[in-house]
Amino acid sequence: MPWNKSDYPVSMKNLKPRIRHKAIDIANALLDEGYDEGRAIAIATAKAEEWDENHPDHTASGSDSSSRTSSKKPDESSSSESSSRNRRHSEPVSSSKSHHNIHVVPTESGWAIKQEGTSDYHSTYDTKVEAVDAAKAWSTKHHIRAIIHNQDGQIARSLKS
């Protein structure tokens, strides 16, 4: 079912409207390509957030606009920005069959980390905290996004390296 600006997945409700609208567009394109809803939502959210970082809203005013442009200056509080020059160029916002995100997902016996597009678990953990900590380390090391799911499988949040 295609989503629109007033009818979209619950997991997108806390996104800024600009990012949410982009995520809706991307998710609909992914659905058209045959992706299942859960995967389309995860990919679309990650790509929309990445798109927003790479395409700042120049019409924004006040501190919101200045905080976006300040990321171009060195900032000792953000290691991800200082390592951004070491990252490869981001994939285009349009969908692609090769995605490198990782997901922290619930299993029957605990929590697991799996690479996007695979059915096998990379590693398993007894608690969500352990799995999230490992995913943070992995995403930082490999400059990829970690998508954290709730117990019911819904996306809770996304961590970028």
Side-chain angles (χ1 to χ4, degrees):
M1 151 177 161
W3 293 296
N4 58 50
K5 291 179 181 181
S6 61
D7 181 25
Y8 49 83
V10 173
S11 61
M12 292 183 184
K13 76 176 184 177
N14 291 326
L15 295 174
K16 291 186 236 173
R18 179 176 189 259
I19 298 172
R20 183 174 50 245
H21 297 157
K22 188 66 165 180
I24 290 167
D25 290 343
I26 296 168
N28 284 333
L30 291 171
L31 289 175
D32 289 345
E33 289 184 15
Y35 283 73
D36 68 330
E37 280 190 14
R39 187 161 180 231
I41 294 168
I43 293 167
T45 301
K47 290 298 179 184
E49 288 174 340
E50 184 178 320
W51 169 83
D52 185 57
E53 288 175 13
N54 295 326
H55 300 88
D57 183 7
H58 295 293
T59 61
S61 61
S63 62
D64 191 41
S65 176
S66 63
S67 68
R68 285 193 182 117
T69 57
S70 67
S71 68
K72 295 178 183 176
K73 298 174 186 172
D75 181 4
E76 64 276 357
S77 67
S78 175
S79 61
S80 67
E81 289 171 8
S82 63
S83 66
S84 65
R85 65 181 158 257
N86 297 329
R87 279 191 257 180
R88 62 193 171 138
H89 291 285
S90 64
E91 295 175 356
V93 173
S94 62
S95 65
S96 160
K97 293 292 183 189
S98 68
H99 301 285
H100 302 289
N101 297 329
I102 57 172
H103 293 256
V104 174
V105 296
T107 67
E108 291 179 10
S109 61
W111 291 85
I113 297 175
K114 63 179 253 182
Q115 288 182 296
E116 198 164 276
T118 66
S119 58
D120 297 331
Y121 299 133
H122 177 269
S123 50
T124 57
Y125 301 88
D126 292 329
T127 67
K128 183 176 183 179
V129 171
E130 293 171 320
V132 169
D133 288 345
K136 284 179 187 177
W138 189 7
S139 70
T140 299
K141 180 178 179 182
H142 297 286
H143 305 293
I144 57 175
R145 184 173 302 274
I147 299 169
I148 314 301
H149 294 258
N150 288 330
Q151 184 66 41
D152 64 2
Q154 291 289 321
I155 297 170
R157 66 181 197 258
S158 174
L159 308 170
K160 47 194 167 194
S161 61

